[in-house]
Amino acid sequence: MPSYKEVRKSNRFYYFIKFTLNIYSMLFSLLGLCVLCVGVYAEVERQNNRTLEGVFLAPAVVLILLGLVMFTVSLVGMVGSLRDNKTLLHMFLCVLCVLLFLQVVALIVALIFEKKTSALFQSSIREGIKHYYDDLDFKNILDFVQQKFSCCGGDEYKDWGVNQYHFCNGTGPLACGVPYTCCVRRKVGEVVNTLCGYKTLSQQIQKLCFKWHHIPYKVHYF
């Protein structure tokens, strides 16, 4: 028969595991609920001016799915730990294992079919560039990515030629140019020239480095 100290020690360990799992599940369920709410709000706003259908171009849908999975799985774990329900705890463990397995499989598939994955991603980006000024959601994301990762377009800066406002045969001020988010500032705090990408598509990058007040980013994948 175990001694009183052993029983007490085992009880402490039991409650430690129980409440740790409960707090962990509760935090992730709240986080999942927040992500879900943000996704629903973004999707409602996106539906008002819906132009993009690609998976890569619908971050609101991704947020909804991610938030729903996080909230549901965490809720199962939280209820299972509170009620000491072995069925729910087993379900929680199995779902986590399945999600981990799917992530590993997705990573392996992406590495094996790297070229096809990259081509799919690039085509989705080009499709988004076509509707750059029509979808504020995608526009903000692409602007952030271009500024953050020092890139321009999906594959190269010439990808902007597919946008109707940047066609070289256009007549507007944006014709044959790229957005100002493709440019960098030489000095910190310098005011951005929104027309720094003027006529970029009709010139060579090497020449632009000497002609522009704002130097264009080096083109690479992001």
Side-chain angles (χ1 to χ4, degrees), residues 145-146 149-157 181-184 205 209 212 215-222:
V145 171
Q146 289 188 147
F149 299 100
S150 303
C151 57
C152 187
D155 186 18
E156 59 177 354
Y157 73 104
T181 53
C182 284
C183 308
V184 294
I205 293 183
C209 292
W212 278 9
I215 303 176
Y217 281 140
K218 293 181 179 179
V219 179
H220 55 77
Y221 294 100
F222 58 84

Side-chain angles (χ1 to χ4, degrees), residues 63-211:
L63 288 177
I64 291 175
L65 295 177
L66 179 62
L68 188 60
V69 171
M70 288 178 61
F71 177 74
T72 304
V73 174
S74 300
L75 184 63
V76 170
M78 182 175 63
V79 175
S81 62
L82 284 175
R83 303 290 297 178
D84 291 333
N85 191 310
K86 292 184 178 180
T87 302
L88 291 179
L89 290 176
H90 287 161
M91 185 184 301
F92 178 67
L93 177 61
C94 291
V95 172
L96 290 182
C97 292
V98 170
L99 291 177
L100 179 61
F101 175 75
L102 291 177
Q103 290 179 10
V104 173
V105 171
L107 178 61
I108 294 175
V109 171
L111 292 176
I112 294 176
F113 301 99
E114 181 179 0
K115 292 184 178 180
K116 292 185 178 180
T117 304
S118 178
L120 177 62
F121 181 77
Q122 299 302 332
S123 63
S124 299
I125 294 297
R126 291 191 187 95
E127 182 64 24
I129 289 177
K130 289 182 181 179
H131 307 283
Y132 175 75
Y133 295 101
D134 302 323
D135 194 298
L136 184 60
D137 188 19
F138 177 80
K139 180 179 182 298
N140 291 333
I141 293 176
L142 186 57
D143 285 343
F144 172 79
V145 171
Q146 289 188 147
Q147 291 178 316
K148 183 69 175 179
F149 299 100
S150 303
C151 57
C152 187
D155 186 18
E156 59 177 354
Y157 73 104
K158 292 183 179 180
D159 290 341
W160 284 99
V162 301
N163 186 279
Q164 60 179 337
Y165 297 100
H166 294 282
F167 285 153
C168 285
N169 56 357
T171 57
L174 300 177
C176 217
V178 296
Y180 73 92
T181 53
C182 284
C183 308
V184 294
R185 287 169 287 184
R186 291 183 174 181
K187 299 179 181 179
V188 178
E190 183 181 8
V191 178
V192 177
N193 177 11
T194 56
L195 292 178
C196 64
Y198 181 73
K199 297 297 181 182
T200 303
L201 300 179
S202 61
Q203 302 181 43
Q204 297 293 330
I205 293 183
Q206 291 81 1
K207 295 180 180 180
L208 291 175
C209 292
F210 297 97
K211 291 183 178 180

